[in-house]
Amino acid sequence: MNQPLQRHRDELMSEASQVPVFLELEPQADPGPVAAELARQGVWFSSVGAAGRRGFQLQPHSVKCDLGALEAIEGVAAVYSRSSGRPLLDAQAGQPVLVAGRPLGGGAAPVLAAGPCAVESRAQIEEAAAEVAAAGGALLRGGAFKPRTSPWSFAGVGRRALGWLRDAADRHGLAVVTEVMSEGEVEAVAEVADLLQVGSRNMQNFALLGALGAAGLPVLLKRGMAATVEEWLLAGEHALRGGARGVVFCERGIRGFDPSTRNLLDLGAVALLRHVERQPVLADPSHGAGRRDLIPALSRASLAAGADGLLLEMHPDPARARSDASQALLPAELRALTQDLLPAEVTT
Ligand code: PEP
Ligand code: MN
């Protein structure tokens, strides 16, 4: 409650109401019909009265509603709302983020980003790039630097792999998305990337988020495995405040209780980001499920929920993959999936 309530202004009228909103009643108004109209609009609210003002408090997570329409309800004297605390994301809402000149989100056709978990060799990423292009992909993914739970696991080839990734992408007309794990690597990664990936484990690494701006690139912000949507959005606000040229969110599953899948792909969050927050959002069913057999169904579900694209792991030879082998699609599986899913202009 440290921000003053403000009378809403015209520019707020068409925006989603995701911040607390207070409807003040006219002094003689009967609250009954106003409450009935709010219920009819599907808004969640509670009745409040203090300091001589009677009215309704709308829940911060209430459904999207037009503040102007609320003010027009008979008996409502005024509508007050608080600023969202995410002014930079608010400015991005409904707009596409440009990735190598291509619009992502904001109503643009869904895009495919695909490739191996890790860039392992020049030959591997070259073969992967050819397959991604054949499947209609727009972006080639692959980590040169890999965050691994165990310090003994393969952690990526490092800087050498960045050049292989860029060369392979260029040969097949693809853009590059790859992870940057620390502030010290921003410059090197930015030299080859079109979209800077911030991994789940770094979602709230505020020093890193603040340092990304120097690259002059958009950011792909993966959701932390125990992050609320609000924390995720605010991490995006950090990146924008640091100077990032747009933030694309990526749902990759949160920690669940059931080991049947690696994570719990939160499609409710995808729908919320797309339809309520109006932010560009990709879904990553590969890390969400951790197993390749579920990727087609979860990809379909992600697009149905509103995802602006998919981030998929595919390896030319999954049996030899040095990380995330069980969730890597075979090249033919990727092709079959995209033919089925993405619009014709993307897959031709
Ligand atoms: C990845 O994309 O390979 C990756 C490490 O993802 P996440 O940060 O979501 O675990
Ligand atoms: Mn991976």
Side-chain angles (χ1 to χ4, degrees):
M1 297 292 280
N2 52 1
Q3 285 172 306
L5 287 171
Q6 299 168 343
R7 181 85 196 269
H8 83 85
R9 297 187 302 273
D10 286 350
E11 64 264 32
L12 284 174
M13 286 177 53
S14 59
E15 289 184 3
S17 156
Q18 287 307 299
V19 293
V21 170
F22 176 70
L23 258 69
E24 185 175 6
L25 290 178
E26 284 165 356
Q28 310 308 328
D30 178 357
V34 178
E37 176 56 20
L38 292 175
R40 194 191 66 76
Q41 292 196 18
V43 172
W44 307 339
F45 59 94
S46 51
S47 180
V48 286
R53 297 159 89 194
R54 294 179 315 135
F56 295 101
Q57 175 75 56
L58 270 51
Q59 303 302 316
H61 301 293
S62 191
V63 297
K64 183 174 174 173
C65 60
D66 179 334
L67 298 184
L70 295 178
E71 195 163 39
I73 298 173
E74 175 114 22
V76 172
V79 176
Y80 299 87
S81 79
R82 239 170 263 147
S83 62
S84 80
R86 300 188 238 111
L88 302 174
L89 271 184
D90 289 349
Q92 182 182 276
Q95 308 293 323
V97 167
L98 289 182
V99 178
R102 182 190 187 104
L104 214 161
V111 300
L112 170 68
C117 180
V119 180
E120 297 167 354
S121 68
R122 194 179 265 288
Q124 173 247 20
I125 196 66
E126 165 61 34
E127 203 178 332
E131 295 293 352
V132 171
L139 289 109
L140 179 63
R141 64 144 292 150
F145 304 100
K146 297 302 304 178
R148 302 308 301 276
T149 301
S150 164
W152 307 111
S153 301
F154 169 65
V157 169
R159 287 181 189 238
R160 263 185 324 145
L162 291 173
W164 303 339
L165 180 63
R166 183 75 256 176
D167 289 349
D170 286 345
R171 257 192 293 280
H172 297 278
L174 300 168
V176 164
V177 53
T178 192
E179 178 161 354
V180 52
M181 281 176 48
S182 73
E183 293 143 78
E185 286 157 6
V186 172
E187 208 180 317
V189 175
E191 267 175 39
V192 306
D194 298 296
L195 181 61
L196 289 175
Q197 178 171 326
V198 173
S200 202
R201 294 153 188 82
N202 264 326
M203 188 202 83
Q204 285 189 313
N205 180 339
F206 300 121
L208 175 60
L209 293 173
L212 298 174
L217 288 170
V219 171
L220 182 71
L221 184 61
K222 299 196 98 181
R223 182 179 181 182
M225 56 189 87
T228 64
V229 168
E230 182 66 14
E231 288 164 342
W232 191 19
L233 290 167
L234 285 170
E237 185 79 8
H238 269 275
L240 290 176
R241 183 160 185 237
R245 301 277 164 85
V247 175
V248 177
F249 294 87
C250 179
E251 166 61 41
R252 48 76 73 200
I254 50 176
R255 257 299 140 79
F257 59 84
D258 186 345
S260 311
T261 54
R262 180 176 178 181
N263 288 297
L264 191 59
L265 189 67
D266 183 359
L267 296 184
V270 171
L272 196 65
L273 259 77
R274 165 72 185 266
H275 299 294
V276 179
E277 300 294 340
R278 298 182 303 139
Q279 296 296 333
V281 59
L282 299 186
D284 171 358
S286 305
H287 292 86
R291 42 190 288 175
R292 77 172 63 84
D293 57 346
L294 300 183
I295 307 301
L298 290 176
S299 296
R300 257 181 234 113
S302 297
L303 293 177
D308 296 298
L310 299 168
L311 182 72
L312 297 177
E313 288 192 343
M314 180 276 298
H315 194 286
D317 184 1
R320 290 176 190 275
R322 299 185 69 186
S323 57
D324 286 351
S326 59
Q327 67 195 37
L329 292 171
L330 295 157
E333 290 175 328
L334 180 70
R335 231 173 299 155
L337 175 60
T338 57
Q339 267 165 16
D340 192 27
L341 274 186
L342 296 174
E345 65 267 29
V346 176
T347 52
T348 51

Coordinates of all heavy atoms in Angstrom, one line a residue, residues 159-219:
R159 N 33.6 -21.4 -25.2 CA 33.6 -20.3 -26.2 C 33.8 -20.9 -27.6 O 33.2 -20.3 -28.6 CB 34.8 -19.3 -25.9 CG 34.4 -18.4 -24.7 CD 35.5 -17.4 -24.4 NE 35.1 -16.8 -23.2 CZ 34.9 -15.4 -23.0 NH1 35.1 -14.6 -24.0 NH2 34.6 -14.9 -21.8
R160 N 34.6 -21.9 -27.8 CA 34.8 -22.5 -29.1 C 33.5 -22.8 -29.8 O 33.3 -22.7 -31.0 CB 35.6 -23.7 -29.1 CG 37.1 -23.5 -29.3 CD 37.9 -24.8 -29.3 NE 37.4 -25.8 -28.4 CZ 37.3 -27.1 -28.6 NH1 37.8 -27.6 -29.7 NH2 36.9 -27.9 -27.6
A161 N 32.6 -23.3 -29.0 CA 31.3 -23.8 -29.5 C 30.4 -22.6 -30.0 O 29.5 -22.8 -30.9 CB 30.5 -24.5 -28.4
L162 N 30.7 -21.4 -29.5 CA 29.9 -20.3 -30.0 C 30.1 -20.0 -31.5 O 29.1 -19.8 -32.2 CB 30.3 -19.0 -29.2 CG 29.9 -19.0 -27.7 CD1 30.5 -17.7 -27.0 CD2 28.4 -19.0 -27.6
G163 N 31.3 -20.1 -31.9 CA 31.6 -19.9 -33.4 C 31.0 -21.0 -34.2 O 30.4 -20.7 -35.3
W164 N 31.0 -22.3 -33.7 CA 30.4 -23.4 -34.5 C 28.9 -23.1 -34.7 O 28.3 -23.4 -35.7 CB 30.6 -24.7 -33.8 CG 32.0 -25.1 -33.5 CD1 33.1 -24.6 -34.1 CD2 32.4 -26.0 -32.5 NE1 34.2 -25.2 -33.6 CE2 33.8 -26.1 -32.6 CE3 31.8 -26.8 -31.5 CZ2 34.6 -26.9 -31.8 CZ3 32.5 -27.6 -30.7 CH2 33.9 -27.7 -30.8
L165 N 28.3 -22.6 -33.6 CA 26.9 -22.4 -33.5 C 26.5 -21.3 -34.6 O 25.5 -21.5 -35.4 CB 26.5 -22.0 -32.1 CG 25.0 -21.7 -31.8 CD1 24.1 -22.9 -32.0 CD2 24.9 -21.2 -30.4
R166 N 27.2 -20.2 -34.5 CA 26.9 -19.1 -35.5 C 27.1 -19.6 -36.9 O 26.3 -19.3 -37.8 CB 27.8 -17.9 -35.1 CG 27.6 -16.7 -36.0 CD 26.3 -16.0 -35.5 NE 25.2 -16.2 -36.5 CZ 24.0 -15.7 -36.3 NH1 23.7 -15.0 -35.2 NH2 23.0 -15.9 -37.2
D167 N 28.2 -20.3 -37.2 CA 28.5 -20.7 -38.6 C 27.4 -21.6 -39.1 O 26.9 -21.5 -40.2 CB 29.8 -21.5 -38.6 CG 31.0 -20.5 -38.4 OD1 30.8 -19.3 -38.5 OD2 32.1 -21.1 -38.2
A168 N 27.0 -22.5 -38.2 CA 25.9 -23.5 -38.6 C 24.6 -22.8 -38.9 O 23.9 -23.0 -39.9 CB 25.7 -24.6 -37.6
A169 N 24.3 -21.8 -38.0 CA 23.0 -21.1 -38.2 C 23.1 -20.3 -39.5 O 22.1 -20.3 -40.2 CB 22.8 -20.2 -37.0
D170 N 24.2 -19.6 -39.7 CA 24.3 -18.8 -40.9 C 24.1 -19.7 -42.2 O 23.5 -19.2 -43.2 CB 25.6 -18.1 -41.0 CG 25.6 -16.9 -40.0 OD1 24.6 -16.5 -39.5 OD2 26.8 -16.4 -39.7
R171 N 24.7 -20.8 -42.2 CA 24.6 -21.7 -43.4 C 23.2 -22.1 -43.7 O 22.9 -22.4 -44.8 CB 25.5 -22.9 -43.2 CG 26.8 -22.9 -43.9 CD 27.5 -24.2 -44.0 NE 27.9 -24.6 -42.7 CZ 29.0 -24.2 -42.1 NH1 29.8 -23.4 -42.7 NH2 29.4 -24.7 -40.9
H172 N 22.4 -22.0 -42.7 CA 21.0 -22.5 -42.9 C 19.9 -21.4 -42.7 O 18.7 -21.7 -42.5 CB 20.7 -23.7 -42.0 CG 21.6 -24.9 -42.4 ND1 21.3 -25.7 -43.4 CD2 22.8 -25.3 -41.9 CE1 22.3 -26.6 -43.6 NE2 23.2 -26.4 -42.6
G173 N 20.4 -20.2 -42.7 CA 19.5 -19.0 -42.5 C 18.7 -19.0 -41.2 O 17.5 -18.6 -41.2
L174 N 19.4 -19.4 -40.2 CA 18.7 -19.4 -38.9 C 19.3 -18.3 -37.9 O 20.4 -17.9 -38.1 CB 18.9 -20.8 -38.2 CG 18.4 -22.0 -38.9 CD1 18.9 -23.3 -38.3 CD2 16.8 -22.0 -38.9
A175 N 18.4 -17.9 -37.0 CA 18.9 -17.0 -35.9 C 19.4 -17.9 -34.8 O 19.1 -19.1 -34.8 CB 17.8 -16.1 -35.5
V176 N 20.1 -17.3 -33.9 CA 20.7 -18.1 -32.8 C 20.2 -17.7 -31.4 O 20.1 -16.5 -31.1 CB 22.3 -17.9 -32.8 CG1 22.9 -18.4 -31.5 CG2 22.9 -18.6 -34.0
V177 N 19.8 -18.7 -30.6 CA 19.5 -18.4 -29.2 C 20.4 -19.4 -28.4 O 20.5 -20.6 -28.6 CB 18.0 -18.7 -28.9 CG1 17.5 -20.0 -29.3 CG2 17.7 -18.5 -27.4
T178 N 21.1 -18.7 -27.5 CA 22.0 -19.5 -26.6 C 22.2 -18.9 -25.3 O 22.0 -17.7 -25.1 CB 23.4 -19.7 -27.4 OG1 24.2 -20.7 -26.7 CG2 24.2 -18.4 -27.4
E179 N 22.5 -19.7 -24.3 CA 22.5 -19.3 -22.9 C 23.8 -18.5 -22.5 O 24.9 -18.9 -22.9 CB 22.3 -20.5 -22.0 CG 22.3 -20.1 -20.5 CD 21.7 -21.1 -19.6 OE1 21.2 -22.1 -20.0 OE2 21.8 -20.9 -18.3
V180 N 23.5 -17.5 -21.7 CA 24.6 -16.7 -21.1 C 24.5 -17.0 -19.6 O 23.4 -16.7 -19.0 CB 24.6 -15.2 -21.5 CG1 23.3 -14.6 -21.3 CG2 25.8 -14.5 -20.8
M181 N 25.6 -17.5 -19.0 CA 25.4 -17.9 -17.6 C 26.0 -16.9 -16.6 O 25.7 -16.9 -15.4 CB 26.1 -19.2 -17.4 CG 25.3 -20.4 -17.8 SD 26.1 -22.0 -17.6 CE 26.8 -21.9 -16.0
S182 N 26.9 -16.0 -17.1 CA 27.5 -15.0 -16.2 C 27.7 -13.7 -16.9 O 27.8 -13.6 -18.1 CB 28.8 -15.6 -15.6 OG 29.8 -15.5 -16.6
E183 N 27.9 -12.7 -16.0 CA 28.2 -11.3 -16.6 C 29.4 -11.3 -17.5 O 29.5 -10.6 -18.5 CB 28.4 -10.3 -15.4 CG 27.1 -10.1 -14.6 CD 27.4 -9.9 -13.2 OE1 27.9 -8.8 -12.8 OE2 27.3 -10.9 -12.4
G184 N 30.4 -12.1 -17.1 CA 31.7 -12.1 -17.8 C 31.6 -12.7 -19.2 O 32.5 -12.5 -20.0
E185 N 30.5 -13.4 -19.5 CA 30.3 -14.0 -20.8 C 29.4 -13.2 -21.7 O 29.2 -13.6 -22.9 CB 29.7 -15.4 -20.6 CG 30.7 -16.4 -20.1 CD 30.0 -17.6 -19.4 OE1 28.8 -17.7 -19.5 OE2 30.7 -18.4 -18.8
V186 N 28.8 -12.2 -21.2 CA 27.8 -11.5 -22.0 C 28.4 -11.0 -23.3 O 27.8 -11.2 -24.4 CB 27.2 -10.2 -21.2 CG1 26.3 -9.4 -22.1 CG2 26.4 -10.7 -20.0
E187 N 29.6 -10.4 -23.3 CA 30.1 -9.9 -24.5 C 30.4 -11.0 -25.6 O 30.0 -10.9 -26.7 CB 31.4 -9.2 -24.2 CG 31.7 -8.1 -25.2 CD 33.0 -7.4 -24.8 OE1 33.3 -7.1 -23.6 OE2 33.8 -7.1 -25.7
A188 N 31.0 -12.1 -25.1 CA 31.3 -13.2 -26.1 C 30.0 -13.8 -26.6 O 30.0 -14.1 -27.8 CB 32.2 -14.2 -25.3
V189 N 29.1 -14.0 -25.8 CA 27.8 -14.7 -26.2 C 27.1 -13.7 -27.2 O 26.5 -14.1 -28.2 CB 26.9 -15.1 -25.0 CG1 25.6 -15.7 -25.5 CG2 27.7 -16.2 -24.2
A190 N 27.1 -12.4 -26.8 CA 26.4 -11.5 -27.7 C 27.0 -11.3 -29.1 O 26.3 -11.0 -30.0 CB 26.4 -10.1 -27.0
E191 N 28.2 -11.7 -29.2 CA 28.8 -11.6 -30.6 C 28.2 -12.6 -31.5 O 28.2 -12.4 -32.7 CB 30.3 -11.9 -30.5 CG 31.1 -10.6 -30.3 CD 32.6 -10.9 -30.1 OE1 33.1 -11.9 -30.7 OE2 33.2 -10.2 -29.3
V192 N 27.6 -13.7 -31.0 CA 27.1 -14.7 -31.9 C 25.6 -14.8 -31.8 O 24.9 -15.4 -32.7 CB 27.7 -16.1 -31.7 CG1 29.2 -16.1 -31.7 CG2 27.3 -16.7 -30.4
A193 N 25.0 -14.4 -30.7 CA 23.6 -14.7 -30.4 C 22.7 -13.6 -31.0 O 23.1 -12.4 -31.1 CB 23.3 -14.8 -28.9
D194 N 21.4 -14.0 -31.4 CA 20.4 -13.0 -31.7 C 19.4 -12.8 -30.6 O 18.7 -11.9 -30.5 CB 19.6 -13.5 -33.0 CG 20.5 -13.6 -34.2 OD1 21.0 -12.6 -34.6 OD2 20.8 -14.8 -34.6
L195 N 19.4 -13.8 -29.7 CA 18.5 -13.8 -28.5 C 19.3 -14.5 -27.4 O 19.8 -15.6 -27.5 CB 17.3 -14.7 -28.9 CG 16.2 -14.9 -27.8 CD1 15.6 -13.5 -27.5 CD2 15.1 -15.8 -28.4
L196 N 19.5 -13.7 -26.3 CA 20.3 -14.2 -25.2 C 19.4 -15.0 -24.2 O 18.5 -14.4 -23.6 CB 20.9 -13.0 -24.4 CG 21.9 -12.2 -25.1 CD1 22.3 -10.9 -24.2 CD2 23.2 -13.0 -25.3
Q197 N 19.7 -16.2 -24.0 CA 19.0 -17.1 -23.1 C 19.5 -16.9 -21.7 O 20.7 -17.1 -21.4 CB 19.0 -18.5 -23.5 CG 18.3 -19.5 -22.6 CD 18.2 -20.9 -23.2 OE1 18.1 -21.0 -24.5 NE2 18.2 -21.9 -22.4
V198 N 18.6 -16.6 -20.8 CA 18.9 -16.7 -19.3 C 18.2 -17.9 -18.8 O 17.0 -18.1 -18.9 CB 18.4 -15.4 -18.6 CG1 18.6 -15.5 -17.1 CG2 19.2 -14.2 -19.1
G199 N 19.0 -18.8 -18.2 CA 18.4 -20.1 -17.8 C 17.6 -20.0 -16.5 O 17.7 -19.0 -15.8
S200 N 16.9 -21.1 -16.3 CA 16.0 -21.2 -15.2 C 16.8 -20.9 -13.8 O 16.3 -20.2 -13.0 CB 15.6 -22.6 -15.1 OG 14.4 -22.8 -14.4
R201 N 18.0 -21.4 -13.7 CA 18.7 -21.3 -12.5 C 19.2 -19.9 -12.3 O 19.7 -19.5 -11.2 CB 19.9 -22.3 -12.5 CG 19.4 -23.7 -12.4 CD 20.4 -24.7 -13.0 NE 19.8 -26.1 -13.1 CZ 19.0 -26.5 -14.1 NH1 18.7 -25.6 -15.1 NH2 18.5 -27.7 -14.1
N202 N 19.2 -19.1 -13.3 CA 19.6 -17.7 -13.2 C 18.5 -16.6 -13.3 O 18.8 -15.5 -13.4 CB 20.6 -17.4 -14.4 CG 22.1 -17.6 -13.9 OD1 22.4 -17.3 -12.8 ND2 22.9 -18.1 -14.8
M203 N 17.3 -17.1 -13.2 CA 16.2 -16.1 -13.5 C 16.3 -14.9 -12.6 O 15.9 -13.8 -13.0 CB 14.8 -16.8 -13.3 CG 13.7 -16.0 -13.8 SD 12.1 -16.4 -13.1 CE 12.2 -15.6 -11.4
Q204 N 16.7 -15.2 -11.3 CA 16.8 -14.0 -10.4 C 18.2 -13.6 -10.1 O 18.5 -13.1 -9.1 CB 16.0 -14.3 -9.1 CG 14.5 -14.2 -9.3 CD 13.8 -14.3 -8.0 OE1 14.0 -15.2 -7.2 NE2 12.8 -13.4 -7.8
N205 N 19.1 -13.9 -11.1 CA 20.5 -13.4 -10.9 C 20.4 -11.9 -11.4 O 20.6 -11.6 -12.6 CB 21.4 -14.2 -11.8 CG 22.8 -13.8 -11.7 OD1 23.1 -12.6 -11.3 ND2 23.8 -14.7 -12.0
F206 N 20.2 -11.0 -10.5 CA 19.9 -9.6 -10.9 C 21.1 -8.9 -11.5 O 21.0 -8.1 -12.3 CB 19.3 -8.9 -9.7 CG 18.0 -9.5 -9.2 CD1 17.9 -9.9 -7.9 CD2 17.0 -9.7 -10.0 CE1 16.7 -10.5 -7.4 CE2 15.8 -10.2 -9.6 CZ 15.6 -10.7 -8.3
A207 N 22.3 -9.3 -11.0 CA 23.5 -8.7 -11.6 C 23.6 -9.1 -13.1 O 23.9 -8.3 -13.9 CB 24.8 -9.2 -10.8
L208 N 23.3 -10.4 -13.4 CA 23.4 -10.8 -14.8 C 22.3 -10.1 -15.6 O 22.5 -9.6 -16.7 CB 23.2 -12.4 -14.8 CG 23.0 -13.0 -16.3 CD1 24.3 -12.7 -17.1 CD2 22.8 -14.5 -16.2
L209 N 21.1 -10.1 -15.0 CA 19.9 -9.4 -15.8 C 20.3 -8.0 -16.1 O 20.0 -7.5 -17.2 CB 18.7 -9.5 -15.0 CG 18.1 -10.9 -14.7 CD1 16.9 -10.9 -13.8 CD2 17.7 -11.6 -16.1
G210 N 20.9 -7.3 -15.1 CA 21.3 -5.9 -15.3 C 22.4 -5.7 -16.3 O 22.5 -4.7 -17.0
A211 N 23.2 -6.8 -16.5 CA 24.4 -6.6 -17.4 C 24.0 -6.9 -18.8 O 24.8 -6.7 -19.7 CB 25.5 -7.6 -16.9
L212 N 22.9 -7.5 -19.1 CA 22.5 -8.0 -20.4 C 22.3 -6.8 -21.4 O 22.5 -6.9 -22.6 CB 21.3 -8.8 -20.4 CG 21.3 -10.1 -19.6 CD1 19.9 -10.8 -19.6 CD2 22.3 -11.1 -20.2
G213 N 21.9 -5.7 -20.8 CA 21.6 -4.5 -21.6 C 22.8 -4.1 -22.5 O 22.6 -3.6 -23.6
A214 N 24.0 -4.3 -22.1 CA 25.2 -3.9 -22.8 C 25.2 -4.6 -24.2 O 25.8 -4.1 -25.1 CB 26.4 -4.2 -22.0
A215 N 24.5 -5.7 -24.3 CA 24.6 -6.5 -25.5 C 23.7 -5.9 -26.6 O 23.8 -6.2 -27.8 CB 24.2 -7.9 -25.3
G216 N 22.7 -5.1 -26.2 CA 21.8 -4.5 -27.2 C 20.9 -5.6 -27.9 O 20.6 -5.4 -29.1
L217 N 20.6 -6.6 -27.2 CA 19.8 -7.8 -27.8 C 18.6 -8.0 -26.9 O 18.5 -7.7 -25.8 CB 20.7 -9.0 -27.8 CG 21.9 -9.1 -28.8 CD1 22.7 -10.3 -28.5 CD2 21.3 -9.1 -30.2
P218 N 17.6 -8.7 -27.5 CA 16.5 -9.2 -26.7 C 16.9 -10.4 -25.9 O 17.9 -11.1 -26.2 CB 15.4 -9.6 -27.8 CG 16.2 -9.9 -29.0 CD 17.5 -9.1 -29.0
V219 N 16.1 -10.7 -24.9 CA 16.5 -11.8 -23.9 C 15.4 -12.8 -23.9 O 14.2 -12.5 -23.9 CB 16.6 -11.1 -22.5 CG1 16.7 -12.2 -21.4 CG2 17.8 -10.2 -22.5

